Amino acid sequence: MKLNELTIKQAREGLRAKKFSSVELTKTCLERIKKLNPQINAFITVCEEEAFAVAKRADILASQGETWEAKPLLGIPFSMKDVYSTKGIRTTAGSKVLENYYPVYNATVYQRLIDAGAVLIGKTNCDAWGHGASTENSDFGAVKNPWDMERVAGGSSGGEAAAISSDMTIFGIGEDTGGSIRLPSSFCSTAGLKVTYGRVSRYGAIAYASSLDSMGPMAKSVEDLALLLSIIAGKDDKDATSSSKEAADYVNSLKKGTKGLKIGLPKEFYGQGLDGEVKEAIMAVVKTLEKQGAQIVDISIPSTEYGIATYYIIAPSETSSNLARYDGIRFGNGREAFGDEAKRRIMLGTYALSAGYYDQYYLKAQKVRTLVKQDFEKAFTQCDVIIGPVSPTPPFKIGEKVNDPLQMYLVDVYTVLINLAGVPSLALPCGFSNAGLPVGFQVIGPQFSEQLLLNIGSQYEKVNERHKRKPNL
Ligand code: GLN
């Protein structure tokens, strides 16, 4: 196994046993980026010099006996979706507006990771401002899916998922407003966690829609996600919406079994529009969990059909307000640098919020959002978790939907509801279509049930080794 292919756990073991150094590990990732990035386009910025400096320091600290308890990610290379402020390192949010923007402070998530000793190797490509489901709305060009270069990697954190699945990085951090961690994870056969709203600080992340934005880890295994969550979760005085609920011991909870677990299958998730092969792959997951002792319960999320309409009023409304600051006066280029999709959403949102239309659109959407939340609360009185598809189809072709925004929005049918309800969801690979394209599923739980979701995910991973399959590059 090459060093860049390692999980966090494996990399930690190797570093601890002094089988290799952080500089060597970092070097293999950077070499992989040099080889594959010109084709895949997963990275917008690669920070080679900074990475080597941090890796060297990590090796010195390790030789001086730095403990893994104090620095659980010491010397481990990682990448971040380019929406996190990284002091002195270019941060673009995938938009030409911020083409030359170098933040003067760090996002809390980034600060916590570097405090834990991790080595940032680069910032990954995404749909500009997080607007999209395919990374084709990036002003820096589309990301190609490592499993099939003619297809999209999903979005908006497509660069991150592509970087992880092609082993250009050991782990990553994404951001999920309506599916942006889960969809690319599912399209690229990697693991991704959308946390409960407020579980992880949003401070320093470039805002898309502030009431929906969730920061979360993306990785090669559930165990890695658990470790990362234990590092980034928790109260942050700089984000008033971060929860003061204490973070659980995510790593040690992985040992628990799933016996007696009640899994809900919402009938609205498995009807018309869901690709047959995707459905089949998810049913196989359900069977596996049943064999491990889980029970299946038929449930209903009646508001499913209103999810897209509700989300595409609330998210553009919030983004139209958040993007107002990019006026070219304070920072970044002027408004003329906004791409088509950003302009479309600014117009949609401004319209939905304008006097005379506010009650009809924004206010009504907020009311439906309450119904969505109540549907999930009711469902969780009947089951412990819900299993559903992430995307209605396997990854689609580059160019297939980008000129038809409505078609693109429909890709989010199973993911946006979860953000509207503010609950957590874990996306994991569950197989491949006949054409060899990755298929994923999501396990959704009540607020702050990350521990339970990770536990279920790790039980599943034990018997299903599909996540270990690599694209042929
Ligand atoms: N595809 C959705 C959108 O375009 C979700 C994006 C996201 O989660 N950032 O808004």
Side-chain angles (χ1 to χ4, degrees):
M1 211 176 192
K2 298 199 184 86
L3 295 185
N4 54 303
E5 292 175 11
L6 301 176
T7 61
I8 300 177
K9 188 179 177 224
Q10 292 163 334
R12 267 166 58 132
E13 282 163 6
L15 286 166
R16 199 184 299 203
K18 306 227 174 327
K19 285 193 185 142
F20 48 82
S21 67
S22 169
V23 168
E24 284 164 329
L25 178 59
T26 305
K27 197 166 164 237
T28 56
C29 290
L30 290 166
E31 276 167 2
R32 183 83 170 163
I33 295 173
K34 270 194 196 127
K35 183 176 165 221
L36 293 178
N37 200 50
Q39 202 183 355
I40 295 178
N41 199 25
F43 283 84
I44 293 177
T45 302
V46 180
C47 32
E48 179 166 344
E49 223 175 278
E50 293 90 341
F52 277 130
V54 179
K56 263 186 210 142
R57 224 176 314 133
D59 285 335
I60 294 171
L61 282 177
S63 71
Q64 291 169 345
E66 179 64 66
T67 63
W68 287 91
E69 285 70 35
K71 294 213 179 291
L73 297 173
L74 187 64
I76 300 184
F78 78 110
S79 47
M80 287 186 112
K81 181 181 190 177
D82 203 15
V83 295
Y84 288 88
S85 302
T86 44
K87 194 172 166 181
I89 295 168
R90 185 162 80 126
T91 301
T92 69
S95 170
K96 289 274 168 171
V97 171
L98 296 180
E99 196 175 5
N100 302 306
Y101 173 55
Y102 289 78
V104 292
Y105 70 103
N106 286 336
T108 296
V109 170
Y110 174 56
Q111 190 63 50
R112 289 191 179 174
L113 292 169
I114 56 176
D115 286 347
V119 180
L120 183 73
I121 53 172
K123 308 289 291 287
T124 50
N125 202 352
C126 55
D127 288 294
W129 315 107
H131 298 162
S134 67
T135 318
E136 289 165 286
N137 293 332
S138 165
D139 291 344
F140 298 87
V143 175
K144 300 205 174 104
N145 192 315
W147 295 88
D148 179 345
M149 299 283 181
E150 285 181 9
R151 292 181 187 264
V152 302
S156 61
S157 318
E160 198 52 67
I164 295 170
S165 83
S166 60
D167 292 311
M168 293 194 239
T169 185
I170 304 296
F171 73 90
I173 300 288
E175 170 278 335
D176 192 310
T177 305
S180 279
I181 287 179
R182 289 162 286 156
L183 188 73
S185 297
S186 153
F187 277 8
C188 295
S189 201
T190 58
L193 178 66
K194 181 250 175 257
V195 297
T196 306
Y197 182 79
R199 178 67 296 176
V200 174
S201 169
R202 291 183 293 118
Y203 178 75
I206 293 173
Y208 165 7
S210 309
S211 78
L212 300 158
D213 293 348
S214 315
M215 314 301 142
M218 297 171 74
K220 298 174 191 174
S221 76
V222 174
E223 206 167 9
D224 282 6
L225 292 180
L227 174 67
L228 292 169
L229 186 60
S230 68
I231 293 165
I232 61 174
K235 181 74 188 159
D236 176 15
D237 290 338
K238 293 178 182 141
D239 173 6
T241 62
S242 67
S243 171
S244 47
K245 207 175 158 67
E246 223 172 286
D249 183 358
Y250 302 109
V251 179
N252 288 317
S253 75
L254 295 179
K255 293 179 191 107
K256 290 187 194 139
T258 49
K259 218 175 171 132
L261 185 84
K262 280 194 188 148
I263 297 175
L265 302 180
K267 62 171 188 275
E268 295 81 2
F269 284 20
Y270 294 94
Q272 224 188 2
L274 180 62
D275 177 273
E277 287 188 78
V278 174
K279 186 172 174 179
E280 209 177 292
I282 297 171
M283 286 307 146
V285 175
V286 173
K287 278 245 157 62
T288 303
L289 294 172
E290 252 186 317
K291 265 194 217 141
Q292 291 179 337
Q295 277 173 43
I296 306 306
V297 194
D298 290 322
I299 59 158
S300 172
I301 303 284
S303 56
T304 302
E305 61 173 315
Y306 305 113
I308 297 276
T310 308
Y311 173 86
Y312 278 100
I313 288 173
I314 294 175
S317 296
E318 292 185 16
T319 211
S320 72
S321 163
N322 278 327
L323 295 183
R325 73 191 64 155
Y326 303 104
D327 52 11
I329 298 169
R330 281 160 289 190
F331 53 92
N333 297 320
R335 296 192 202 286
E336 64 286 350
F338 277 118
D340 286 350
E341 186 60 26
K343 285 184 191 152
R344 182 177 295 117
R345 293 190 188 207
I346 291 170
M347 286 192 282
L348 274 172
T350 308
Y351 182 76
L353 289 174
S354 60
Y357 293 103
Y358 177 89
D359 290 359
Q360 215 176 326
Y361 295 108
Y362 187 72
L363 192 65
K364 199 179 241 175
Q366 289 290 35
K367 288 180 181 165
V368 181
R369 181 177 188 173
T370 302
L371 296 179
V372 172
K373 192 164 172 277
Q374 286 169 352
D375 277 356
F376 277 93
E377 279 162 5
K378 186 172 167 225
F380 289 128
T381 61
Q382 297 161 345
C383 60
D384 300 307
V385 293
I386 294 170
I387 285 190
V390 174
S391 156
T393 63
F396 46 90
K397 287 233 164 96
I398 293 175
E400 197 179 313
K401 296 181 198 275
V402 72
N403 296 319
D404 187 344
L406 195 57
Q407 282 303 317
M408 191 69 90
Y409 299 168
L410 289 172
V411 174
D412 304 327
V413 60
Y414 304 118
T415 50
V416 294
L417 289 165
I418 284 80
N419 299 68
L420 290 170
V423 295
S425 168
L426 170 66
L428 291 179
C430 64
F432 293 86
S433 69
N434 291 336
L437 300 171
V439 179
F441 72 104
Q442 56 179 336
V443 199
I444 307 151
Q447 289 195 334
F448 299 102
S449 64
E450 282 82 0
Q451 190 170 356
L452 175 65
L453 302 186
L454 292 163
N455 182 26
I456 297 168
S458 86
Q459 300 306 318
Y460 175 71
E461 254 185 14
K462 272 186 204 147
V463 289
N464 187 315
E465 303 247 299
R466 289 207 176 87
H467 64 285
K468 291 192 178 156
R469 208 164 121 184
K470 302 274 182 193
N472 197 359
L473 291 164

